[in-house]
Structure formats: structure tokens, C-alpha cells
Amino acid sequence: MGRIRTYEWEDPAISAAVAGRVPGMDFLRDIQAGRLPGPPITATLDIALDEVEPGRVVFSLAPGEEHYNPIGSVHGGVYATLLDSAAGCAVHSTLPEGMAYTSLDLTVKFLRRITVDTGRVRAIGTVVHRGRQTALAEAKLVDATDRLLAHATSSCMLFPVPPS
């Protein structure tokens, strides 16, 4: 017998229309509080936005079989999604109204395997440097005992939001 998982998400255009038009902290806190819909990827993977402060963001995930690769552990793409989200949103948290960002790259180092037995994991993103046109962020993926599971760095391009 197969396994079934269903989930729902809200219209991503709602949040996209607000992104960059309000300060990054306000935008992320509105998503965290449910005043704006979260991105569909958070529903797809069942990711939670746990903490938001200037230059620092924490996402978490309880690993499940639905996250597995064919060899019985969490797929590297799930690691990368968590780390990319944490690093990018850490940068977003520093942006003023009228500014946006996009990831230029993501470098991930996988250090330990994750399974359902690992328990809830956290991706902690922090800004290392933010300039006028680029930002550098890092993210660490840790287990409940803060054991390092993976690490990533991300360069982001910063740009003004085009007028609507």
C-alpha cells in the first residue's frame, strides 16, 4: 500500500505583490503571523518560519519519509531548500521598503545524513555582509542538540523594486 500526503497553499501572488513594497522585517513577520500567505514551498515540504529578526531567520522541518531520496535519507534538495530559504530571508530581513533581492548562488556542504529519527531540524540564516548591491549570508542546518548537519553560503543581488 502506498502512502498519501495532501496539502494546501494560498495564492502566491498575494505575497509577491507586497514583497519589496514594505520593509523586509514587516514582510517576513506578516508571513510568520499568517497575515500574508507563506510561499507554496513551505506547504510542499512542511517548513515552518520560526524566528525573524534583523539579519537572522530560522526555519524548521520535521523530516518525514516524503523528504527521502532512494537510499533512505532526506534528499539533498530538501537540505538546500531549507538553507537557501534561511540565508535569503536573513538578507530580506535587512531590506528597506522599495528594495528586493534574488539569490546569485548557493554553496552547500552536506555533513551528516538526516532521517525521520533525527527529529526536527533548524536552518539558521544570518547575514555576513550587506552592501548596497550585494549581500553575503550563511545558513547552518542543525538538529535539536545543535549538531551541525549542513552549512551553506549564499550571495544575493539587491535591487530596487520596479514601480507598479
Side-chain angles (χ1 to χ4, degrees):
M1 177 181 282
R3 286 147 168 95
I4 296 173
R5 180 172 178 257
T6 59
Y7 56 94
E8 296 179 9
W9 64 93
E10 295 181 58
D11 182 356
I14 296 168
S15 295
V18 177
R21 306 210 183 279
V22 298
M25 279 297 300
D26 294 348
F27 179 74
L28 292 169
R29 285 186 173 151
D30 283 349
I31 288 174
Q32 183 184 29
R35 292 184 292 269
L36 283 174
I41 191 67
T42 58
T44 302
L45 295 178
D46 199 17
I47 298 170
L49 175 55
D50 296 332
E51 299 176 35
V52 178
E53 57 188 78
R56 184 177 181 275
V57 171
V58 179
F59 285 90
S60 67
L61 166 97
E65 286 181 339
E66 67 274 15
H67 301 121
Y68 276 17
N69 58 29
I71 59 173
S73 60
V74 171
H75 191 282
V78 175
Y79 285 66
T81 300
L82 282 163
L83 293 165
D84 182 54
S85 298
C89 287
V91 169
H92 196 155
S93 73
T94 69
L95 298 181
E97 179 179 341
M99 291 295 291
Y101 82 97
T102 190
S103 298
L104 293 172
D105 64 27
L106 180 71
T107 302
V108 178
K109 301 297 183 194
F110 304 99
L111 304 173
R112 299 184 191 281
R113 85 183 243 168
I114 299 172
T115 68
V116 295
D117 295 330
T118 303
R120 194 159 202 81
V121 298
R122 294 176 301 128
I124 304 160
T126 55
V127 173
V128 175
H129 173 78
R130 196 189 123 213
R132 287 180 296 139
Q133 296 180 319
T134 61
L136 175 65
E138 72 173 350
K140 297 176 181 180
L141 189 61
V142 299
D143 66 11
T145 64
D146 287 332
R147 184 174 59 153
L148 188 62
L149 306 169
H151 180 268
T153 56
S154 177
S155 299
C156 297
M157 179 175 61
L158 311 179
F159 56 92
V161 174
S164 50

